């Protein structure tokens, strides 16, 4: 009996050679937009709770946008660069092993296919044919599940993260700057909750996770962040 309430799971074709790179780029873009929405909104709501001075809100918002975009881009570049360095090191190690002990590597490849359920004879044949065709590619795929031609690109992730942070930050900036003072905070709250619901849904769709749970997490977290900075801003503003 199937669960009628179960949400459809998005699956990506594993045979697409560029899937890993695309998912890495999309993940960075969605997370960057999400961070841009929450961090900038939380800051400008806190400032708006403390003062109605539009200049102060604008300066704080712009500083938050620029600092956040730089931080997101740099952080993503460092993170993905570390992953890329690890992949390059694994590829170099496999190349060295194939050059210095090809027989052991052939036996290892055959053992991998035996472990997947092939008969010893078939596993041996598959290992030999794959080795003759492209030994390095065969071992990278079977042992490490990576490809020599599909190593992650840190620049793609960095630019995607920084640019998407900027795009995400536009919404709370407009929501806090355009309305009259009495509507600024309420308008920002509503705009941010709607935007977070969209980015939460996109994150779940990209990762193939349940949508409702992902949307709930990001919306509740974002609302809490705004509420905390609003309360703190109001307290500090009243004390000044």
């Amino acid at each position: 009996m199937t669960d009628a309430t179960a949400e459809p799971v998005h699956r990506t074709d594993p045979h697409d050679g560029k899937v890993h790179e695309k998912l890495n780029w999309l993940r960075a873009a969605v997370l960057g937009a999400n961070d841009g929405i929450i961090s900038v909104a939380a800051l400008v709501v806190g400032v708006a709770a403390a003062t109605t001075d539009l200049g102060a809100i604008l300066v704080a918002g712009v500083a938050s946008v620029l600092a956040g975009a730089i931080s997101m881009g740099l952080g993503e570049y460092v993170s993905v660069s570390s992953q890329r360095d690890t992949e390059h090191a694994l590829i170099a190690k496999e190349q060295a092993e194939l050059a210095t002990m090809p027989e052991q590597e052939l036996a290892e490849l055959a053992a991998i296919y035996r472990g997947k359920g092939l008969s010893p004879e078939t596993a041996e044949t598959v290992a030999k044919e794959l080795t003759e065709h492209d030994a390095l590619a065969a071992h990278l795929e079977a042992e490490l599940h990576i490809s020599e031609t599909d190593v992650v690109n840190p620049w793609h992730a960095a630019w995607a993260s920084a640019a998407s942070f900027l795009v995400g930050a536009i919404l709370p900036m407009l929501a806090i700057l355009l309305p009259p003072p009495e509507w600024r905070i309420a308008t920002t709250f509503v705009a941010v909750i709607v935007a977070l619901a969209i980015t939460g849904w996109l994150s779940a769709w990209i990762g193939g996770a349940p949508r409702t749970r992902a949307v709930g997490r990001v919306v509740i977290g974002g609302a809490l962040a705004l509420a905390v900075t609003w309360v703190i801003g109001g307290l500090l503003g009243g004390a000044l």
Side-chain angles (χ1 to χ4, degrees):
M1 181 175 179
T2 58
D3 183 0
T5 63
E7 298 182 18
V9 176
H10 170 71
R11 298 187 185 279
T12 307
D13 181 5
H15 301 292
D16 183 353
K18 294 297 181 180
V19 162
H20 187 54
E21 183 177 352
K22 289 177 181 177
L23 289 181
N24 182 61
W25 188 91
L26 286 171
R27 176 190 61 81
V30 172
L31 292 179
N34 195 66
D35 284 349
I37 294 168
I38 294 176
S39 62
V40 174
L43 186 141
V44 295
V45 162
V47 176
T51 178
T52 58
D53 183 356
L54 192 62
I57 297 173
L58 177 62
V59 170
V62 171
S64 176
V65 171
L66 294 177
I70 294 171
S71 175
M72 287 293 296
L74 181 60
E76 196 69 25
Y77 178 82
V78 171
S79 174
V80 178
S81 290
S82 297
Q83 180 182 347
R84 181 195 58 181
D85 293 343
T86 299
E87 291 179 352
H88 280 309
L90 290 172
I91 291 171
K93 179 175 180 291
E94 199 62 42
Q95 287 175 321
E97 290 176 348
L98 286 169
T100 57
M101 43 182 170
E103 294 301 324
Q104 293 93 322
E105 287 295 293
L106 179 61
E108 182 181 16
L109 188 59
I112 291 173
Y113 287 109
R114 286 199 303 273
K116 292 182 177 182
L118 297 183
S119 66
E121 295 79 10
T122 303
E124 187 75 21
T125 300
V126 170
K128 286 182 178 179
E129 290 185 1
L130 289 176
T131 298
E132 291 172 0
H133 175 69
D134 191 333
L136 179 60
H139 282 267
L140 292 178
E141 193 281 328
E143 295 180 38
L144 305 172
H145 309 293
I146 63 176
S147 169
E148 187 181 14
T149 59
D150 197 28
V151 176
V152 293
N153 189 320
W155 284 110
H156 288 175
W159 284 114
S161 183
S164 58
F165 184 96
L166 291 173
V167 171
I170 290 174
L171 177 71
M173 288 295 292
L174 294 177
I176 203 74
L177 293 175
L178 295 182
E182 63 271 18
W183 286 101
R184 284 173 183 164
I185 295 177
T187 301
T188 304
F189 261 86
V190 173
V192 165
I193 294 303
V194 172
L196 290 178
I198 294 172
T199 59
W201 189 93
L202 285 174
S203 297
W205 180 78
I206 292 172
R211 275 62 150 179
T212 303
R213 187 182 305 168
V215 170
R217 278 197 302 261
V218 72
V219 167
I220 293 172
L224 286 174
L226 294 181
V228 169
T229 56
W230 173 61
V231 170
I232 294 175
L235 292 174
L236 291 176
L240 296 177

